[in-house]
Amino acid sequence: MDLALARYNFIRRLAGLSEATYNEQFHIEAQHAAWLCAMYNKTDRSHSITAYQRPEGVTDEMWNLAATGLSQCLYLRPHAANSVDIYMGDNGNATLGHRNNLLNLHTTQVGFGVASANLVGKDKNDINVIAANSGATAFRFNWNKQPEYKDFDYDVVSWPPAGYFPAKTALFDSGVDKSRWSVYFNTTKYQLQTTEADGKKTNVIVTKKVNGQVQRTWNFADLTANNNDARGKITYGNTTIFYLEYVDTDGKTKNETFEDGHVYTVKFENLKDTSTGNFTDLEYSVEFFDMSTVQ
């Protein structure tokens, strides 16, 4: 539990968010959810207790605790601290909902549940052969503003965040799913213009510099026409998500890799200023660094 809390708060500090404290009741609810997932070796996308059969002898109290604990992050792996990174990558989830959960501004408390299950199978030579090692983790948060929550002024919550960010870590690598960039806007300041208005709509341009020189540009308005070597995909919405790839000299499409000293500038063109209704731009930069060189 201590390691999971430390890892989670490390993520939040990187993203410029306040830390969370450990909540024992959230832990109890998450623990029951993890137990149920480990028992049946499955998680359910609906996060509903109806996806599981109630085991004999389980009390109403236990069942209700499991139902509450199932409501948020679940994963079939019995390592809570490692699951923080897995939720941030959120592989296979098009909306990055689990990452969004972890980066919620209003979170001040969190609880984790961990359950492991050694499923013992049989074979003709050894009746105690372990057929599979399974388990599950579950996270519970508070997402409504609590009395101790302090509002702070911000433009976006992004991942990776503006400033220095560790390269070649479990937090962010060159795998397409893991290395998706995500941007959550302060909607009291900015709104995406996803359809053309007054001849304008929101666009994202990402520029990569190495040793101060522009090496590659991704223009998501028109990748093919403007950047024959740059590719990527973008989803506009409450969460803007994109990943970066490029066409190498051999003609093969490759995922962008993030190395020490590489600087990426993200520019949103034609955002709607919520207060004035006018169009405006927003820009921030991320510089990757090698953690092994930090003293």
Side-chain angles (χ1 to χ4, degrees):
M1 299 298 100
D2 288 342
L3 288 172
L5 181 63
R7 189 62 172 174
Y8 178 50
N9 280 330
F10 175 61
I11 296 287
R12 289 186 66 83
R13 287 196 302 272
L14 277 174
L17 302 175
S18 59
E19 295 186 7
T21 59
Y22 187 75
N23 182 300
E24 182 66 21
Q25 180 61 28
F26 288 177
H27 158 64
I28 292 170
E29 293 164 357
Q31 188 61 45
H32 280 76
W35 154 76
L36 191 64
C37 292
M39 175 178 291
Y40 288 103
N41 194 29
K42 73 173 184 178
T43 61
D44 181 68
R45 288 186 178 274
S46 69
H47 295 270
S48 172
I49 195 74
T50 59
Y52 303 88
Q53 182 178 352
R54 181 167 172 167
E56 185 178 351
V58 171
T59 66
D60 287 345
E61 180 186 14
M62 293 173 65
W63 198 239
N64 290 334
L65 286 168
T68 303
L70 287 168
S71 65
Q72 296 172 355
C73 291
L74 303 167
Y75 190 69
L76 285 176
R77 181 172 294 179
H79 304 287
N82 178 253
S83 290
V84 175
D85 293 354
I86 292 168
Y87 293 139
M88 289 302 295
D90 215 359
N91 294 346
N93 187 344
T95 63
L96 287 178
H98 296 105
R99 181 187 294 183
N100 195 6
N101 289 351
L102 268 63
L103 297 180
N104 190 290
L105 267 71
H106 304 148
T107 298
T108 58
Q109 299 174 40
V110 64
F112 312 100
V114 183
S116 60
N118 291 326
L119 308 179
V120 179
K122 295 181 180 181
D123 69 21
K124 60 183 180 181
N125 298 316
D126 186 349
I127 62 172
N128 293 314
V129 167
I130 295 176
N133 290 319
S134 180
T137 58
F139 287 14
R140 283 278 291 125
F141 315 88
N142 62 327
W143 287 337
N144 296 319
K145 287 186 180 180
Q146 304 299 304
E148 64 270 33
Y149 177 78
K150 304 298 182 184
D151 278 313
F152 64 98
D153 186 53
Y154 75 100
D155 293 323
V156 297
V157 174
S158 59
W159 193 261
Y164 292 100
F165 192 84
K168 295 185 177 180
T169 68
L171 300 176
F172 204 80
D173 65 16
S174 58
V176 169
D177 270 356
K178 253 189 166 179
S179 60
R180 286 177 293 178
W181 297 57
S182 56
V183 183
Y184 313 91
F185 285 95
N186 183 342
T187 54
T188 66
K189 291 185 175 183
Y190 304 104
Q191 292 181 346
L192 294 166
Q193 185 65 47
T194 56
T195 58
E196 193 165 299
D198 299 327
K200 297 180 179 180
K201 69 177 182 178
T202 302
N203 181 36
V204 178
I205 298 175
V206 181
T207 304
K208 173 186 178 180
K209 287 186 178 181
V210 179
N211 297 323
Q213 301 297 314
V214 175
Q215 186 178 85
R216 189 169 290 120
T217 299
W218 292 263
N219 184 332
F220 285 95
D222 192 351
L223 284 172
T224 304
N226 296 332
N227 303 281
N228 291 327
D229 68 334
R231 298 287 186 275
K233 290 186 179 179
I234 190 165
T235 302
Y236 291 108
N238 292 332
T239 305
T240 297
I241 303 166
F242 58 89
Y243 71 83
L244 308 176
E245 57 185 24
Y246 65 97
V247 177
D248 205 354
T249 53
D250 60 4
K252 294 182 179 179
T253 300
K254 296 185 178 180
N255 299 326
E256 178 71 358
T257 57
F258 305 97
E259 307 286 345
D260 182 52
H262 290 187
V263 180
Y264 296 79
T265 298
V266 180
K267 183 177 182 179
F268 280 82
E269 296 181 323
N270 299 325
L271 290 169
K272 261 297 183 61
D273 185 311
T274 306
S275 61
T276 66
N278 297 326
F279 286 102
T280 187
D281 296 343
L282 185 147
E283 184 176 302
Y284 66 91
S285 294
V286 181
E287 180 171 348
F288 288 87
F289 71 94
D290 184 352
M291 287 185 68
S292 67
T293 64
V294 177
Q295 300 298 319

